Amino acid sequence: MTELAKSADDRLTRLWKEWRGFVLFIAVMVVFRSAIADWNQVPSGSMKPSILIGDRIVVDKLAYDLRIPFTLIRLARWGQPERGDVVTFPSPRDETLYVKRVIGLPGDIVELRSNHLIVNGEAAVYTELSDAEVAALEVENKPLYRFYREQIGALNHIVMLRRDRAETSYQSFGPIEVPADHYLMLGDNRDDSGDYRVIGWVDRDRILGRAHAIAFSLDYDHHYAPRMDRFFEALP
């Protein structure tokens, strides 16, 4: 080995000794975020008012199963998504990471009529929020929307509908039966969500995990100011 090669080898060995702890930490964190838990940025308003643009949501990737990191291959499965769960998954259309609410389970008969949900023949109950409840929501342009609490079985959360949106076919579908091993997803911002009505069914193996809470939130419209009241807030 020449003197030059020996010097380069010594430098690489020295660098590895100095940085191996950091490199191993990064490697462990990457695997952790892929298969155990993650925090995802929310770039769109399709889940308003529950999740806002700028929220960082905590996703439990062990909620339903254990995957080989960086793949959709399952090593073990111990649970199934329930109606009302907020989950993340790569879109079957273009692999973009989505966050939506589970509405239809395998075998369910789901219908949407003028933005009114019907599951297995049971119509959801819609209760309009009071002025005080609307005032507490962190949503812009509130006068443009109507806000309701949507309740059907264990499903209980707030949805928002545009006041100025003329009725279209986008607000109605079905009745349709959810295929085996598939789920029907909708966004809480019903008139502005690219969900089942755009991407179709979501295969069970595509579901990466369940979103439990908001880790932190930044207001992009106000110089990325932190929304302190949303830090560590549980998701409905």
Side-chain angles (χ1 to χ4, degrees):
M1 180 181 294
T2 66
E3 192 65 29
L4 183 61
K6 184 177 185 304
S7 176
D9 187 59
D10 289 343
R11 280 200 302 272
L12 288 173
T13 301
R14 207 162 46 245
L15 281 172
W16 169 245
K17 288 180 178 179
E18 292 174 358
W19 288 92
R20 63 186 174 187
F22 179 73
V23 171
L24 290 174
F25 170 77
I26 294 298
V28 169
M29 284 302 297
V30 169
V31 171
F32 179 88
R33 291 189 64 181
S34 173
I36 300 174
D38 199 2
W39 51 94
N40 297 139
Q41 178 184 352
V42 178
S44 77
S46 68
M47 282 295 293
K48 293 190 296 186
S50 303
I51 303 175
L52 306 180
I53 297 174
D55 285 349
R56 288 275 185 169
I57 56 174
V58 179
V59 180
D60 178 5
K61 294 191 172 181
L62 294 178
Y64 310 120
D65 44 38
L66 175 66
R67 289 184 300 110
I68 296 176
F70 317 113
T71 76
L72 296 178
I73 300 172
R74 266 60 181 182
L75 297 175
R77 180 170 291 174
W78 42 74
Q80 298 293 348
E82 299 291 338
R83 185 175 298 108
D85 286 358
V86 177
V87 299
T88 60
F89 56 92
S91 165
R93 186 177 64 166
D94 59 9
E95 303 301 320
T96 300
L97 185 65
Y98 274 33
V99 54
K100 302 293 179 189
R101 193 177 297 277
V102 176
I103 299 296
L105 308 179
D108 280 350
I109 306 296
V110 183
E111 183 176 0
L112 191 69
R113 283 285 168 260
S114 301
N115 273 329
H116 286 68
L117 189 63
I118 304 169
V119 179
N120 297 326
E122 180 182 356
V125 175
Y126 292 87
T127 306
E128 191 161 10
L129 268 58
S130 67
D131 291 344
E133 289 174 315
V134 172
L137 298 176
E138 297 185 71
V139 177
E140 68 280 2
N141 301 317
K142 291 177 187 176
L144 299 180
Y145 296 91
R146 298 190 307 275
F147 299 90
Y148 297 92
R149 183 166 296 282
E150 182 178 71
Q151 296 173 280
I152 181 169
L155 192 69
N156 187 335
H157 60 276
I158 298 171
V159 297
M160 54 190 284
L161 309 174
R162 290 189 66 95
R163 292 182 183 275
D164 61 351
R165 183 66 56 86
E167 187 166 341
T168 67
S169 59
Y170 198 71
Q171 297 162 346
S172 299
F173 62 75
I176 47 175
E177 182 175 357
V178 183
D181 297 320
H182 289 77
Y183 292 80
L184 187 151
M185 311 290 187
L186 292 178
D188 293 349
N189 186 0
R190 287 289 158 81
D191 289 324
D192 295 293
S193 174
D195 42 42
Y196 162 76
R197 296 164 289 182
V198 174
I199 63 174
W201 314 111
V202 175
D203 189 284
R204 170 64 181 84
D205 285 341
R206 284 186 168 270
I207 297 176
L208 301 178
R210 180 181 178 187
H212 281 285
I214 299 165
F216 62 91
S217 182
L218 302 177
D219 189 342
Y220 293 171
D221 293 329
H222 293 88
H223 309 289
Y224 293 84
R227 301 185 182 105
M228 300 301 297
D229 58 328
R230 295 187 66 78
F231 281 39
F232 310 113
E233 180 180 329
L235 290 174

